[in-house]
Amino acid sequence: RDDVILFARSAASGLDRISAASGTATPAFPLRPGESSYRWPSFLPDGRHFVVHVRAAERPGVYLGSLDDNTLVPLLERTPFNALVSATGHLQTVRDGTLLAYPFDLGQRRIAGDPVGVAEQVGGSSAQLASFSVSDAGVLAYSTGFITPSRLEWFDRTGKPRGQATDVGDYVNFRLSPDGRKVAFTRVDLQTHTSDIWLLDLGRGGTEIRFTSHP
């Protein structure tokens, strides 16, 4: 409303601000100790406050921010996806595939009651973005899950299949080690919607070893 744009420079940064008319971006909300990323900021109807998803080791979830004093306070902890606040006085987010609408006091800027389930099987990505949008009139649009099951398979140089290397899952990327004895791959946990690195040890009959376990 006030021609202010909030954005993250990378997937591991705080938020900068810039005028919608152009100019120089300036840091507005730097990461604090224990936090790894601010994602998907969305303004409240007043144009001065916003909600943002915070990746953090101890208190991840949806936070409320203010342009007036550069503060961030928790609204919903342990929530895996972003949130939006509509002019009808509701905060929407997704948990366990359900699109939830929380009564939200726009004057006090706080959740004012228990949520109501609006839709089921709503999609979401490992980048904490749920696949829904809401208008100022309270109309919701959403899509169902968009995970594409796949698996890693071996082929010889002639293109002939040589068997599967992993089970079916949601794989982001993979790399063979220089000596050809291991494969590192990133796989999304379908329960937490976060990704971790695994190692496939070809010298041990294809044993999978989890390498990271942090959101």
Side-chain angles (χ1 to χ4, degrees):
R1 193 187 68 180
D2 296 333
D3 285 338
V4 175
I5 295 174
L6 285 176
F7 69 97
R9 290 183 179 271
S10 74
S13 73
L15 298 178
D16 287 13
R17 63 180 291 173
I18 190 171
S19 168
S22 76
T24 302
T26 58
F29 296 87
L31 293 175
R32 300 172 295 191
E35 298 173 338
S36 60
S37 178
Y38 294 169
R39 300 187 175 198
W40 317 116
S42 175
F43 278 106
L44 271 62
D46 67 6
R48 303 302 299 173
H49 297 84
F50 63 93
V51 288
V52 62
H53 190 278
V54 174
R55 270 191 173 188
E58 298 297 330
R59 303 180 73 183
V62 174
Y63 281 60
L64 175 73
S66 171
L67 294 179
D68 297 321
D69 55 17
N70 284 33
T71 58
L72 281 177
V73 295
L75 275 180
L76 286 174
E77 296 188 21
R78 307 290 176 184
T79 300
F81 293 112
N82 65 313
L84 300 175
V85 176
S86 68
T88 58
H90 292 89
L91 179 147
Q92 290 92 4
T93 189
V94 172
R95 188 189 293 273
D96 297 327
T98 300
L99 179 59
L100 300 173
Y102 288 82
F104 191 82
D105 188 324
L106 293 171
Q108 298 294 322
R109 294 177 293 278
R110 62 180 180 85
I111 293 173
D114 295 328
V116 174
V118 178
E120 300 293 333
Q121 298 181 337
V122 179
S125 77
S126 58
Q128 279 66 64
L129 179 65
S131 56
F132 76 97
S133 183
V134 57
S135 73
D136 287 342
V139 178
L140 285 158
Y142 70 93
S143 68
T144 55
F146 46 82
I147 292 173
T148 303
S150 61
R151 66 186 178 198
L152 304 184
E153 296 189 356
W154 291 108
F155 291 81
D156 64 20
R157 291 181 182 275
T158 67
K160 182 180 179 181
R162 298 296 299 272
Q164 69 183 56
T166 65
D167 292 330
V168 173
D170 184 12
Y171 295 91
V172 180
N173 51 45
F174 57 92
R175 291 290 187 277
L176 273 168
S177 62
D179 62 9
R181 300 178 63 180
K182 289 185 174 65
V183 180
F185 60 84
T186 303
R187 184 165 56 198
V188 177
D189 187 311
L190 301 184
Q191 299 300 318
T192 64
H193 301 281
T194 59
S195 57
D196 280 294
I197 299 172
W198 292 69
L199 298 178
L200 181 66
D201 193 332
L202 305 178
R204 296 183 180 180
T207 300
E208 294 184 3
I209 303 169
R210 188 168 183 164
F211 190 69
T212 67
S213 58
H214 191 282

